[in-house]
mmCIF file of all heavy atoms in Angstrom:
data_model
loop_
_atom_site.group_PDB
_atom_site.id
_atom_site.type_symbol
_atom_site.label_atom_id
_atom_site.label_comp_id
_atom_site.label_asym_id
_atom_site.label_seq_id
_atom_site.Cartn_x
_atom_site.Cartn_y
_atom_site.Cartn_z
ATOM 1 N N ALA A 504 114.319 117.728 108.131
ATOM 2 C CA ALA A 504 113.925 116.378 108.217
ATOM 3 C C ALA A 504 112.515 116.099 107.670
ATOM 4 O O ALA A 504 112.250 115.091 106.953
ATOM 5 C CB ALA A 504 113.952 115.862 109.695
ATOM 6 N N GLN A 505 111.573 116.986 107.979
ATOM 7 C CA GLN A 505 110.237 116.852 107.434
ATOM 8 C C GLN A 505 110.243 116.947 105.929
ATOM 9 O O GLN A 505 109.629 116.072 105.222
ATOM 10 C CB GLN A 505 109.292 117.971 108.025
ATOM 11 C CG GLN A 505 109.052 117.853 109.432
ATOM 12 C CD GLN A 505 108.319 119.080 110.024
ATOM 13 O OE1 GLN A 505 108.563 120.200 109.546
ATOM 14 N NE2 GLN A 505 107.577 118.884 111.051
ATOM 15 N N PHE A 506 110.868 117.938 105.369
ATOM 16 C CA PHE A 506 110.872 118.167 103.916
ATOM 17 C C PHE A 506 111.551 117.068 103.169
ATOM 18 O O PHE A 506 110.969 116.505 102.236
ATOM 19 C CB PHE A 506 111.598 119.474 103.604
ATOM 20 C CG PHE A 506 111.361 119.972 102.172
ATOM 21 C CD1 PHE A 506 110.320 120.715 101.831
ATOM 22 C CD2 PHE A 506 112.326 119.631 101.191
ATOM 23 C CE1 PHE A 506 110.120 121.167 100.458
ATOM 24 C CE2 PHE A 506 112.204 120.040 99.885
ATOM 25 C CZ PHE A 506 111.102 120.818 99.563
ATOM 26 N N ASP A 507 112.754 116.709 103.582
ATOM 27 C CA ASP A 507 113.523 115.631 102.890
ATOM 28 C C ASP A 507 112.933 114.266 103.131
ATOM 29 O O ASP A 507 112.828 113.437 102.158
ATOM 30 C CB ASP A 507 114.935 115.630 103.376
ATOM 31 C CG ASP A 507 115.694 116.866 102.992
ATOM 32 O OD1 ASP A 507 115.224 117.657 102.120
ATOM 33 O OD2 ASP A 507 116.834 117.110 103.547
ATOM 34 N N GLY A 508 112.419 113.970 104.362
ATOM 35 C CA GLY A 508 111.853 112.663 104.571
ATOM 36 C C GLY A 508 110.495 112.521 103.803
ATOM 37 O O GLY A 508 110.224 111.490 103.216
ATOM 38 N N MET A 509 109.728 113.611 103.810
ATOM 39 C CA MET A 509 108.436 113.565 103.053
ATOM 40 C C MET A 509 108.650 113.430 101.579
ATOM 41 O O MET A 509 107.930 112.590 100.974
ATOM 42 C CB MET A 509 107.658 114.883 103.347
ATOM 43 C CG MET A 509 106.270 114.878 102.670
ATOM 44 S SD MET A 509 105.172 113.561 103.298
ATOM 45 C CE MET A 509 103.742 113.912 102.385
ATOM 46 N N TRP A 510 109.648 114.098 101.079
ATOM 47 C CA TRP A 510 109.878 113.969 99.575
ATOM 48 C C TRP A 510 110.399 112.586 99.285
ATOM 49 O O TRP A 510 109.979 112.021 98.254
ATOM 50 C CB TRP A 510 110.872 115.065 99.151
ATOM 51 C CG TRP A 510 111.271 114.907 97.706
ATOM 52 C CD1 TRP A 510 112.578 114.803 97.207
ATOM 53 C CD2 TRP A 510 110.440 114.854 96.556
ATOM 54 N NE1 TRP A 510 112.549 114.716 95.858
ATOM 55 C CE2 TRP A 510 111.249 114.724 95.417
ATOM 56 C CE3 TRP A 510 109.066 114.914 96.332
ATOM 57 C CZ2 TRP A 510 110.781 114.601 94.108
ATOM 58 C CZ3 TRP A 510 108.534 114.788 95.132
ATOM 59 C CH2 TRP A 510 109.346 114.686 93.953
ATOM 60 N N LEU A 511 111.239 111.981 100.060
ATOM 61 C CA LEU A 511 111.765 110.626 99.814
ATOM 62 C C LEU A 511 110.607 109.697 99.793
ATOM 63 O O LEU A 511 110.456 108.915 98.836
ATOM 64 C CB LEU A 511 112.767 110.274 100.896
ATOM 65 C CG LEU A 511 113.460 108.847 100.813
ATOM 66 C CD1 LEU A 511 112.592 107.782 101.290
ATOM 67 C CD2 LEU A 511 113.945 108.579 99.381
ATOM 68 N N ILE A 512 109.751 109.682 100.777
ATOM 69 C CA ILE A 512 108.668 108.735 100.818
ATOM 70 C C ILE A 512 107.672 108.940 99.751
ATOM 71 O O ILE A 512 107.198 107.996 99.084
ATOM 72 C CB ILE A 512 107.981 108.857 102.234
ATOM 73 C CG1 ILE A 512 108.885 108.321 103.342
ATOM 74 C CG2 ILE A 512 106.607 108.109 102.274
ATOM 75 C CD1 ILE A 512 108.402 108.523 104.724
ATOM 76 N N THR A 513 107.259 110.227 99.452
ATOM 77 C CA THR A 513 106.357 110.531 98.391
ATOM 78 C C THR A 513 106.906 110.175 97.012
ATOM 79 O O THR A 513 106.148 109.554 96.207
ATOM 80 C CB THR A 513 105.939 112.012 98.446
ATOM 81 O OG1 THR A 513 105.421 112.372 99.765
ATOM 82 C CG2 THR A 513 104.871 112.332 97.358
ATOM 83 N N LYS A 514 108.099 110.529 96.752
ATOM 84 C CA LYS A 514 108.714 110.167 95.393
ATOM 85 C C LYS A 514 108.820 108.690 95.234
ATOM 86 O O LYS A 514 108.518 108.174 94.179
ATOM 87 C CB LYS A 514 110.049 110.835 95.298
ATOM 88 C CG LYS A 514 110.711 110.638 93.905
ATOM 89 C CD LYS A 514 112.082 111.338 93.786
ATOM 90 C CE LYS A 514 112.692 111.085 92.412
ATOM 91 N NZ LYS A 514 114.036 111.699 92.290
ATOM 92 N N ARG A 515 109.318 107.964 96.238
ATOM 93 C CA ARG A 515 109.486 106.585 96.117
ATOM 94 C C ARG A 515 108.164 105.829 96.109
ATOM 95 O O ARG A 515 108.012 104.744 95.460
ATOM 96 C CB ARG A 515 110.370 106.030 97.308
ATOM 97 C CG ARG A 515 111.831 106.477 97.123
ATOM 98 C CD ARG A 515 112.529 105.694 95.968
ATOM 99 N NE ARG A 515 113.694 106.545 95.480
ATOM 100 C CZ ARG A 515 114.494 106.081 94.545
ATOM 101 N NH1 ARG A 515 114.347 104.897 94.038
ATOM 102 N NH2 ARG A 515 115.418 106.906 94.047
ATOM 103 N N ALA A 516 107.159 106.404 96.767
ATOM 104 C CA ALA A 516 105.851 105.780 96.704
ATOM 105 C C ALA A 516 105.261 105.941 95.335
ATOM 106 O O ALA A 516 104.622 105.061 94.728
ATOM 107 C CB ALA A 516 104.897 106.420 97.717
ATOM 108 N N HIS A 517 105.502 107.067 94.714
ATOM 109 C CA HIS A 517 105.076 107.333 93.307
ATOM 110 C C HIS A 517 105.788 106.285 92.375
ATOM 111 O O HIS A 517 105.138 105.773 91.470
ATOM 112 C CB HIS A 517 105.483 108.776 92.934
ATOM 113 C CG HIS A 517 105.420 109.078 91.404
ATOM 114 N ND1 HIS A 517 106.518 109.133 90.619
ATOM 115 C CD2 HIS A 517 104.392 109.432 90.614
ATOM 116 C CE1 HIS A 517 106.170 109.452 89.431
ATOM 117 N NE2 HIS A 517 104.878 109.595 89.386
ATOM 118 N N ARG A 518 107.020 105.947 92.662
ATOM 119 C CA ARG A 518 107.816 105.100 91.816
ATOM 120 C C ARG A 518 107.497 103.612 92.143
ATOM 121 O O ARG A 518 107.421 102.851 91.131
ATOM 122 C CB ARG A 518 109.279 105.391 92.167
ATOM 123 C CG ARG A 518 110.303 104.496 91.345
ATOM 124 C CD ARG A 518 111.668 105.021 91.642
ATOM 125 N NE ARG A 518 112.722 104.144 91.116
ATOM 126 C CZ ARG A 518 113.182 104.214 89.857
ATOM 127 N NH1 ARG A 518 112.721 105.103 89.003
ATOM 128 N NH2 ARG A 518 114.152 103.371 89.481
ATOM 129 N N LEU A 519 107.278 103.252 93.438
ATOM 130 C CA LEU A 519 107.226 101.832 93.750
ATOM 131 C C LEU A 519 105.799 101.395 94.302
ATOM 132 O O LEU A 519 105.230 100.511 93.743
ATOM 133 C CB LEU A 519 108.239 101.542 94.874
ATOM 134 C CG LEU A 519 109.730 101.714 94.487
ATOM 135 C CD1 LEU A 519 110.617 101.534 95.687
ATOM 136 C CD2 LEU A 519 110.168 100.759 93.369
ATOM 137 N N ASN A 520 105.382 102.074 95.339
ATOM 138 C CA ASN A 520 104.074 101.735 95.944
ATOM 139 C C ASN A 520 102.947 101.793 94.871
ATOM 140 O O ASN A 520 102.131 100.892 94.843
ATOM 141 C CB ASN A 520 103.717 102.642 97.115
ATOM 142 C CG ASN A 520 102.379 102.382 97.687
ATOM 143 O OD1 ASN A 520 102.146 101.552 98.501
ATOM 144 N ND2 ASN A 520 101.420 103.250 97.313
ATOM 145 N N ASN A 521 102.918 102.831 94.077
ATOM 146 C CA ASN A 521 101.832 103.010 93.113
ATOM 147 C C ASN A 521 101.802 101.912 92.092
ATOM 148 O O ASN A 521 100.777 101.518 91.588
ATOM 149 C CB ASN A 521 101.935 104.395 92.458
ATOM 150 C CG ASN A 521 101.576 105.489 93.423
ATOM 151 O OD1 ASN A 521 101.378 105.286 94.561
ATOM 152 N ND2 ASN A 521 101.506 106.700 92.839
ATOM 153 N N GLU A 522 103.008 101.320 91.781
ATOM 154 C CA GLU A 522 103.080 100.213 90.838
ATOM 155 C C GLU A 522 102.646 98.879 91.520
ATOM 156 O O GLU A 522 101.922 98.078 90.942
ATOM 157 C CB GLU A 522 104.443 100.166 90.282
ATOM 158 C CG GLU A 522 104.914 101.327 89.434
ATOM 159 C CD GLU A 522 104.113 101.403 88.077
ATOM 160 O OE1 GLU A 522 104.254 100.458 87.361
ATOM 161 O OE2 GLU A 522 103.405 102.404 87.909
ATOM 162 N N LEU A 523 103.224 98.657 92.759
ATOM 163 C CA LEU A 523 102.880 97.463 93.442
ATOM 164 C C LEU A 523 101.402 97.347 93.752
ATOM 165 O O LEU A 523 100.739 96.257 93.649
ATOM 166 C CB LEU A 523 103.681 97.361 94.722
ATOM 167 C CG LEU A 523 105.162 97.167 94.609
ATOM 168 C CD1 LEU A 523 105.796 97.283 95.996
ATOM 169 C CD2 LEU A 523 105.531 95.896 93.930
ATOM 170 N N MET A 524 100.771 98.484 94.057
ATOM 171 C CA MET A 524 99.344 98.494 94.453
ATOM 172 C C MET A 524 98.445 98.786 93.338
ATOM 173 O O MET A 524 97.284 98.973 93.504
ATOM 174 C CB MET A 524 99.169 99.497 95.636
ATOM 175 C CG MET A 524 99.803 99.061 96.921
ATOM 176 S SD MET A 524 99.469 97.357 97.468
ATOM 177 C CE MET A 524 97.690 97.531 97.672
ATOM 178 N N GLN A 525 98.992 98.863 92.156
ATOM 179 C CA GLN A 525 98.279 99.021 90.885
ATOM 180 C C GLN A 525 97.385 100.328 90.864
ATOM 181 O O GLN A 525 96.368 100.370 90.219
ATOM 182 C CB GLN A 525 97.390 97.806 90.641
ATOM 183 C CG GLN A 525 98.253 96.552 90.497
ATOM 184 C CD GLN A 525 97.463 95.303 90.080
ATOM 185 O OE1 GLN A 525 96.474 95.315 89.393
ATOM 186 N NE2 GLN A 525 97.976 94.081 90.583
ATOM 187 N N TYR A 526 97.918 101.281 91.591
ATOM 188 C CA TYR A 526 97.332 102.655 91.371
ATOM 189 C C TYR A 526 97.735 103.053 89.964
ATOM 190 O O TYR A 526 96.955 103.773 89.254
ATOM 191 C CB TYR A 526 97.944 103.656 92.370
ATOM 192 C CG TYR A 526 97.392 103.536 93.766
ATOM 193 C CD1 TYR A 526 98.299 103.565 94.886
ATOM 194 C CD2 TYR A 526 96.025 103.408 94.034
ATOM 195 C CE1 TYR A 526 97.777 103.543 96.224
ATOM 196 C CE2 TYR A 526 95.570 103.418 95.370
ATOM 197 C CZ TYR A 526 96.432 103.488 96.432
ATOM 198 O OH TYR A 526 95.964 103.451 97.738
ATOM 199 N N THR A 527 98.956 102.749 89.506
ATOM 200 C CA THR A 527 99.432 103.062 88.212
ATOM 201 C C THR A 527 100.172 101.876 87.641
ATOM 202 O O THR A 527 100.502 100.908 88.341
ATOM 203 C CB THR A 527 100.439 104.248 88.248
ATOM 204 O OG1 THR A 527 101.561 103.942 89.082
ATOM 205 C CG2 THR A 527 99.753 105.535 88.751
#
Side-chain angles (χ1 to χ4, degrees):
Q505 291 172 331
F506 189 87
D507 293 347
M509 181 63 178
W510 175 235
L511 180 280
I512 290 172
T513 304
K514 182 180 180 182
R515 290 288 153 175
H517 168 259
R518 179 177 172 86
L519 299 172
N520 175 81
N521 290 5
E522 295 290 299
L523 292 175
M524 293 308 298
Q525 300 183 33
Y526 285 136
T527 59

